[in-house]
Amino acid sequence: MRQGSGIKPMLTVWVWAIALTTFQSGAVSTLPDKVMPVIADRQDMQTPDRLRLSGWVGTRIEANEANRLVKLDPARLLEGYRKRPGRQSWDGEHVGKWLHAATLAWVNTGDPALRQKLDYVAAELIKCQGDDGYLGTYLEKDRWTEWDVWAHKYNLIGLITYMRYTGNLEPLPACRRMADLLCQTFGDEPGKRDIIKAGHHKGMAPTSVLEPMVLLYRLTGEPRYLDFCKYILRAWEQPNGPKIVSTLLTLKRVDKVGNAKAYEMLSCLNGALEFYRTTGEPKILEACLNAWEDIVRNRLYITGAASYGEFFHDDFDVPNVANVGETCVTVTWLQFNAQLLRLTGEARFAEQLEHVVLNQLLGAQRCDGSAWGYYVQMEGKKPYSSTLDGHCCLSSGPRGIALIPTFTVSTDADGVVVNLYDAGTATLTLRDGTAVTLTTGTRFPSEGQIRMDVDPAEPKTFAVKARIPAWSASAEVRVNGKPVTAKTGSDGYAAVTREWKKGDRMELRFKLEPRVVVGDHRNQGKVAVLYGPLVLAADGALLGATNRSLNAIAVADASLAALDVKPEPAPKELRFWPEALVFRINAIARRATGSLKTGAPLQVRLVPFADAGQTGTSYKVWLPVGSGPPSENLLLDGQESRSRAGNVGGSIIDEDPESFVVTFDDKRRAEDWFAVILDEPVTISRVVFAHGQTFHDGGWFDTGAGKPRVQVKATQDGAWETVGELKEYPATTATNAAGLKGGERFTCELASPIKAWGIRIIGKPACGDNPQQNFASCAKLQAFERQR
Ligand SMILES: [Zn+2]
């Protein structure tokens, strides 16, 4: 370990004039680069202190800072560095991601408590650097094998962001030494290591260090860092490389790039765009635009999620469950769009930003900001966690939220550009130096009216460009109360160019209305309901006593007239901001439930996807059309539970063959169970258990000490009693799943019919290749009155 001394003499070579000692809102100046980008930005991303949002999005930004970023324990962030090798192989990424998000959040709020924590964490992190520049969490013998370059990437991103906004250059020598070590270690000259072999996913994990290496090149002007970036681009195209740029130029499909792992690939593409910005290599932009078009056309979920099982898959292969919507992918997709917006100035990228922020990103964040979901699927439960122990996504989500103030409102060569709509104040400086304050008043997205007071320091002619959302069938623009014709330019924005002076008001009126999207491919026979930019979902929190189960809800047909969507104020328990709405629709009972017959009319209230599942209930975006086939499964209206919450948001009683749950929590348990509890007893003769999925590190029952047992509760408050076992379950061990396949079913015929208030399957979980933990999985639990 290297102690933090010997830094100061090196600082004298830096001649930048920086005066950033005290914080004032709107006064943070960023560290200038030594190398200017070749490609000039079309839109100027803003330092986060220029924007204070107070609407719906604003409440989430505030919550991210107050309840997440400032509360994370520095000892936890630094743990793997202080005591190598850390609790697991990519634990090193969290501290850099936190430094990035927390710096942006501090610039936005000026919170001195957060600044103090930032200074401490940055200083403590660099104290952990090795004499040779190494700043990862691995033991010497395991260096550069898995997630080691990856952790250096995040340390560079975090520390560069910290330096850029605080002006404190103390981490710079540490960053240079990290970069120098990478340059010395990896390359295509004899004697150097192949970076493609230094990590997972066809080298996409380690080579995503491209992004901060470009940033460090621009910051320092050091040519060898640019040479290293060029080496990464060559390595991508090596025989063993992921062929990122060449595949995107020829096949134009992200699922054909490398091994199609979404988070790592998008991380590489974000670095590629930074490289393009710096060098102007046109093929890179072309490749990235091809990737964007492919994702938007063929692989994007209705909420803005972009992967399942953490990978890109075949065209339109977008199941509703199956580890859908990794939050790391959501955030890197957001960054990708923000970069393309900055580089091209085209509104279509801002449209995607609105889409992903208002639905998938806010849907992955718990409303109070304290917790994040790993996989945030189209249905199921949101797996919120307030620790870092569910891994990568829990430190990625806050980065996405912290970036919102950088692109909500921006400036360009013509004037002001409004990308996202939320109440608040933007303190802008136009390119000619004119100061403009833009104050937005709106209850958006609960109303379609946006009032923007445009206040330049002196009367001045410039454009105010507004993004007219694709979901709005009509849009009205007024200036000082009078309708104006706003010309939509080639960049896709409606511009009002005039002499603006203090007291001027521009008003936008969008048509907020419900829409129905009819499902295709894997959602054939289902519909999704939207309202303006919001994707809506049915939520267990809003079901009445007569229709207790989400699975019992359908819509009669796909027409808006039949649905009759009516917004109304959210009930107290779901009013996560003062203007929150829910949406009443006409539905039908998909099957007989409680006292309702199949096809009986129901009133159901939908909630925005971002607010769905926030109270721990299940939710569902795609609703079936028409009543379903009769089912004899007696557990469909029960309450499901399991021994450990796990990190997958599926269900064992939803009749969806793809949805499953696990008990994974990175710990060991002697036994795990999956249960369904009923409000009224049923008489059962047969129980069916379907296995969930087999993972490298577990997911099945270890039958070494016996087959999984079937247990029932004979009385409402009684104890669990064993009534049988899954005899056909294969002879597995803790490490061998004996060929178990996802969804494989096992039946237990009971000796005689039994009255049951609850049913569960219990057994010993398996650990696969990681004996530090174990877990089981379950796709379905069913019970039937009759034997087969
Ligand atoms: Zn993740």
Side-chain angles (χ1 to χ4, degrees):
M1 298 263 278
R2 177 179 175 274
Q3 297 306 312
S5 58
I7 292 174
K8 288 209 172 75
M10 298 180 71
L11 284 180
T12 55
V13 300
W14 299 100
V15 292
W16 298 315
I18 295 146
L20 292 168
T21 43
T22 52
F23 183 90
Q24 261 183 297
S25 180
V28 170
S29 36
T30 52
L31 204 59
D33 278 329
K34 283 202 166 173
V35 178
M36 292 311 288
V38 166
I39 303 295
D41 289 344
R42 302 298 285 269
Q43 271 189 35
D44 313 308
M45 297 292 105
Q46 301 295 306
T47 50
D49 61 326
R50 308 301 148 89
L51 201 72
R52 286 296 174 94
L53 296 179
S54 56
W56 184 40
V57 176
T59 62
R60 296 294 200 99
I61 294 172
E62 242 172 68
N64 188 45
E65 197 265 346
N67 295 332
R68 180 75 184 172
L69 291 167
V70 82
K71 294 228 165 114
L72 273 182
D73 177 12
R76 170 67 188 92
L77 292 167
L78 295 161
E79 169 195 291
Y81 291 91
R82 286 174 168 166
K83 198 168 180 301
R84 295 185 170 102
R87 65 174 77 187
Q88 49 84 246
S89 56
W90 60 87
D91 205 51
E93 74 187 46
H94 296 308
V95 66
K97 289 157 90 175
W98 179 85
L99 279 166
H100 174 254
T103 300
L104 294 172
W106 165 73
V107 178
N108 186 240
T109 62
D111 179 353
L114 186 56
R115 174 60 196 270
Q116 202 176 13
K117 216 164 207 179
L118 275 166
D119 292 343
Y120 174 77
V121 171
E124 289 296 307
L125 176 63
I126 58 180
K127 279 185 195 168
C128 300
Q129 190 168 34
D131 289 333
D132 60 355
Y134 179 81
L135 191 52
T137 62
Y138 282 60
L139 299 176
E140 183 106 30
K141 65 179 174 64
D142 299 321
R143 278 189 189 182
W144 315 127
T145 49
E146 286 190 281
W147 298 99
D148 215 2
V149 181
W150 179 260
H152 284 75
K153 169 186 81 170
Y154 279 121
N155 284 337
L156 286 168
I157 288 175
L159 291 169
I160 290 170
T161 309
Y162 169 82
M163 290 189 289
R164 188 177 292 284
Y165 289 104
T166 64
N168 177 6
L169 286 175
E170 274 176 38
L172 187 58
C175 290
R176 281 175 156 267
R177 291 166 67 238
M178 268 190 273
D180 292 344
L181 177 64
L182 293 172
C183 293
Q184 287 154 20
T185 306
F186 301 104
D188 39 17
E189 302 99 320
K192 289 191 173 178
R193 284 175 181 245
D194 177 0
I195 193 166
I196 297 297
K197 293 180 185 160
H200 291 285
H201 307 300
K202 282 226 159 195
M204 292 195 294
T207 55
S208 63
V209 75
L210 176 63
E211 183 187 353
M213 288 301 279
V214 180
L215 297 176
L216 195 63
Y217 163 65
R218 285 216 310 272
L219 189 65
T220 63
E222 198 65 71
R224 65 176 176 276
Y225 301 155
L226 182 64
D227 292 341
F228 186 78
C229 297
K230 290 177 180 167
Y231 158 62
I232 286 180
L233 293 184
R234 288 196 302 279
W236 282 353
E237 301 301 329
Q238 281 173 194
N240 64 340
K243 315 273 191 313
I244 297 178
V245 176
S246 59
T247 306
L248 291 173
L249 289 175
T250 53
L251 299 177
K252 304 181 183 182
R253 291 177 64 140
V254 291
D255 60 322
K256 304 293 182 197
V257 170
N259 67 346
K261 181 75 163 56
Y263 174 24
E264 284 74 6
M265 190 191 309
L266 285 167
S267 302
C268 285
L269 293 180
N270 287 329
L273 284 175
E274 205 57 62
F275 182 85
Y276 163 73
R277 213 173 146 229
T278 305
T279 64
E281 169 58 52
K283 289 283 177 210
I284 301 272
L285 180 63
E286 191 187 330
C288 289
L289 288 171
N290 288 346
W292 184 87
E293 259 161 49
D294 177 53
I295 293 170
V296 169
R297 275 197 204 139
N298 305 319
R299 268 160 270 283
L300 201 61
Y301 278 83
I302 192 166
T303 55
S307 71
Y308 78 85
E310 308 195 358
F311 289 83
F312 291 119
H313 297 264
D314 202 1
D315 289 359
F316 314 118
D317 180 11
V318 285
N320 296 319
V321 288
N323 295 353
V324 169
E326 185 193 0
T327 294
C328 294
V329 179
T330 302
V331 171
T332 39
W333 170 242
L334 174 153
Q335 290 177 304
F336 191 49
N337 277 286
Q339 271 282 32
L340 286 168
L341 177 66
R342 149 196 258 187
L343 289 165
T344 66
E346 291 172 20
R348 57 182 174 145
F349 303 111
E351 183 87 24
Q352 289 299 330
L353 284 169
E354 177 184 81
H355 188 62
V356 67
V357 167
L358 297 191
N359 296 293
Q360 189 69 27
L361 183 70
L362 296 192
Q365 181 196 32
R366 193 150 74 192
C367 289
D368 67 3
S370 67
W372 282 87
Y374 195 123
Y375 302 120
V376 178
Q377 315 200 93
M378 297 306 105
E379 61 188 63
K381 288 185 181 180
K382 291 187 177 167
Y384 291 123
S385 167
S386 56
T387 67
L388 291 174
D389 300 344
H391 310 327
C392 50
C393 296
L394 307 177
S395 53
S396 287
R399 302 179 70 204
I401 299 284
L403 281 163
I404 295 171
T406 65
F407 54 73
T408 297
V409 179
S410 75
T411 53
D412 71 357
D414 304 318
V416 174
V417 190
V418 186
N419 289 312
L420 258 53
Y421 298 102
D422 200 57
T425 304
T427 314
L428 306 164
T429 306
L430 302 187
R431 287 188 182 175
D432 68 2
T434 307
V436 178
T437 304
L438 188 80
T439 307
T440 304
T442 182
R443 297 187 302 129
F444 186 83
S446 290
E447 70 169 2
Q449 213 166 325
I450 323 278
R451 296 162 297 277
M452 298 185 293
D453 292 328
V454 185
D455 182 8
E458 61 202 55
K460 193 97 194 177
T461 299
F462 58 88
V464 176
K465 294 180 178 177
R467 183 180 55 81
I468 307 298
W471 48 258
S472 180
S474 68
E476 215 183 289
V477 184
R478 290 166 183 255
V479 172
N480 298 332
K482 294 195 186 80
V484 296
T485 315
K487 244 178 62 194
T488 300
S490 58
D491 57 8
Y493 292 93
V496 177
T497 306
R498 64 191 293 278
E499 188 186 69
W500 294 97
K501 54 185 188 311
K502 194 172 174 55
D504 283 342
R505 172 174 281 191
M506 180 163 154
E507 235 175 302
L508 303 167
R509 290 181 189 185
F510 300 134
K511 198 155 190 194
L512 272 184
E513 54 191 354
R515 285 173 295 142
V516 175
V517 174
V518 176
D520 50 18
H521 303 280
R522 298 182 80 149
N523 279 318
Q524 202 101 47
K526 296 180 186 172
V527 293
V529 185
L530 289 84
Y531 186 79
L534 301 175
V535 176
L536 307 182
D539 189 317
L542 286 177
L543 293 183
T546 49
N547 52 314
R548 286 188 298 263
S549 169
L550 278 184
N551 302 318
I553 294 172
V555 298
D557 68 62
S559 73
L560 261 180
L563 284 167
D564 192 23
V565 184
K566 288 197 183 87
E568 62 183 45
K572 215 169 108 227
E573 66 274 21
L574 291 181
R575 201 174 303 147
F576 301 115
W577 70 295
E579 313 297 340
L581 296 180
V582 295
F583 302 84
R584 192 175 286 275
I585 64 163
N586 290 334
I588 57 167
R590 184 149 192 262
R591 53 180 169 71
T593 173
S595 58
L596 292 174
K597 291 200 171 69
T598 301
L602 287 175
Q603 289 268 305
V604 172
R605 288 172 295 170
L606 307 182
V607 298
F609 181 77
D611 289 347
Q614 291 276 353
T615 55
T617 46
S618 293
Y619 63 92
K620 196 176 209 179
V621 169
W622 291 95
L623 303 175
V625 179
S627 43
S631 172
E632 290 176 2
N633 177 9
L634 298 167
L635 305 187
L636 288 172
D637 289 328
Q639 291 283 335
E640 63 179 296
S641 56
R642 51 194 177 268
S643 49
R644 297 184 275 176
N647 62 345
V648 174
S651 165
I652 61 174
I653 51 168
D654 61 356
E655 294 175 284
D656 182 339
E658 286 168 349
S659 119
F660 68 96
V661 299
V662 297
T663 55
F664 174 85
D665 64 1
D666 219 8
K667 295 187 177 72
R668 280 190 71 87
R669 278 269 180 110
E671 288 196 307
D672 267 328
W673 50 261
F674 302 92
V676 178
I677 303 287
L678 300 158
D679 287 346
E680 292 156 15
V682 292
T683 303
I684 61 169
S685 301
R686 176 164 51 107
V687 174
V688 176
F689 170 86
H691 170 63
Q693 268 189 29
T694 304
F695 297 84
H696 68 92
D697 53 353
W700 64 93
F701 286 115
D702 166 9
T703 63
K707 298 282 170 100
R709 282 120 58 212
V710 178
Q711 296 188 326
V712 302
K713 264 182 196 285
T715 59
Q716 195 162 13
D717 304 313
W720 290 103
E721 298 162 39
T722 300
V723 295
E725 59 175 32
L726 303 179
K727 288 199 183 71
E728 303 152 6
Y729 200 90
T732 56
T733 68
T735 55
N736 186 341
L740 259 180
K741 285 185 187 62
E744 202 170 334
R745 295 158 68 90
F746 304 99
T747 300
C748 173
E749 306 275 3
L750 301 175
S752 57
I754 290 174
K755 190 174 106 171
W757 285 85
I759 289 141
R760 74 175 186 180
I761 302 294
I762 183 166
K764 188 179 169 198
C767 66
D769 60 10
N770 181 4
Q772 307 303 316
Q773 54 83 54
N774 57 20
F775 67 101
S777 68
C778 174
K780 294 290 144 278
L781 185 56
Q782 300 172 320
F784 300 92
E785 194 176 347
R786 279 184 287 273
Q787 297 221 323
R788 199 155 33 185

